[in-house]
Amino acid sequence: MIPDKTSLPLPAYVVLGMVSLGARSGYEIKQDVERSIRFFWTISQAQIYPCLRRLEHEGFVMGTDQPAGRRRRRLYKITDSGQEVLRSWLTAAEPIPFELRDVGLLKLFFADALSPAEAGTLLAVVRRRSEERVATLSAIRTAAYELRDDGNAFPLLSLEMGIAFHEAMAEVCARFAGDVQALGSDIGAATTSGAPLRVRG
């Protein structure tokens, strides 16, 4: 019998989902998380192995020992009941909250406390951060296409959403700097200077 969807903590669903995508060990789950969902959701290595033990205990994954030299290595695969509980969580009729914790946006919200030049520098830092994230995400498109070719298309969709988000962030920062510059501020000039961030203490 499949337990109610609320019986598993969210990190366990993350681990279960990674196993369903082909990750076979705790180490592979950690590596796959670093290459994918860490850009929008965090799960620590300390959470992975307890989740695997719980999932195995409840019959959602099946583990087998496969020693690698002197190291103990346990490999996992998702079971039919694990697939069912994963589908149950994915299709649950419940609110899907959007959570965003961004120090860059937080600082920009209060940037009127800065001089125009300092605010422009902060805006430039946030813009460059998004431009760098676009480059990072674009570099892993190949891996997402490989997953798609293996029958898992939606990691690619998540990747493209992340790229679009940061492209929009960079574009809005550039437009805002231009608008303020047009009003006679030196924010636009500071934004293109590449100066290091100096926030008033």
Side-chain angles (χ1 to χ4, degrees):
M1 178 179 177
I2 301 300
D4 182 81
K5 63 180 181 296
T6 60
S7 65
L8 289 177
L10 188 52
Y13 288 112
V14 174
V15 171
L16 188 61
M18 284 296 175
V19 175
S20 76
L21 289 174
R24 302 178 63 207
S25 67
Y27 177 77
E28 288 181 1
I29 291 170
K30 175 182 178 295
Q31 293 295 101
D32 287 351
V33 164
E34 285 297 307
R35 289 191 294 260
S36 59
I37 67 168
R38 78 168 176 88
F39 294 106
F40 56 87
W41 193 264
T42 57
I43 177 173
S44 70
Q45 185 175 1
Q47 293 175 300
I48 292 173
Y49 290 97
C51 286
L52 282 170
R53 288 193 291 271
R54 176 170 181 172
L55 292 168
E56 184 175 15
H57 176 73
E58 298 195 17
F60 301 142
V61 299
M62 183 171 62
T64 56
D65 287 326
Q66 187 179 88
R70 294 184 177 182
R71 296 179 56 191
R72 180 178 179 272
R73 187 172 184 234
R74 193 162 181 82
L75 303 182
Y76 298 88
K77 65 178 182 179
I78 194 166
T79 63
D80 289 343
S81 59
Q83 291 281 8
E84 186 176 344
V85 80
L86 180 61
R87 285 194 297 267
S88 177
W89 173 63
L90 291 171
T91 60
E94 59 186 5
I96 302 179
F98 179 81
E99 300 177 10
L100 177 64
R101 293 171 60 87
D102 184 350
V103 175
L105 285 180
L106 185 62
K107 287 188 174 186
L108 284 176
F109 186 85
F110 296 114
D112 288 295
L114 301 173
S115 70
E118 289 171 327
T121 300
L122 175 60
L123 185 61
V125 169
V126 174
R127 177 183 176 183
R128 287 198 301 271
R129 183 196 62 178
S130 281
E131 291 171 342
E132 290 166 1
R133 182 56 56 86
V134 168
T136 298
L137 294 176
S138 297
I140 60 178
R141 268 195 175 113
T142 300
Y145 278 116
E146 289 174 356
L147 276 174
R148 185 198 62 180
D149 293 343
D150 289 337
N152 297 298
F154 282 88
L156 177 60
L157 173 64
S158 298
L159 176 65
E160 294 296 347
M161 285 182 173
I163 291 171
F165 175 84
H166 284 286
E167 285 178 337
M169 284 275 289
E171 191 275 331
V172 170
C173 286
R175 187 173 69 241
F176 186 79
D179 290 345
V180 175
Q181 187 179 35
L183 294 174
S185 170
D186 60 352
I187 286 183
T191 299
T192 58
S193 69
L197 177 63
R198 294 181 298 104
V199 180
R200 198 182 295 163

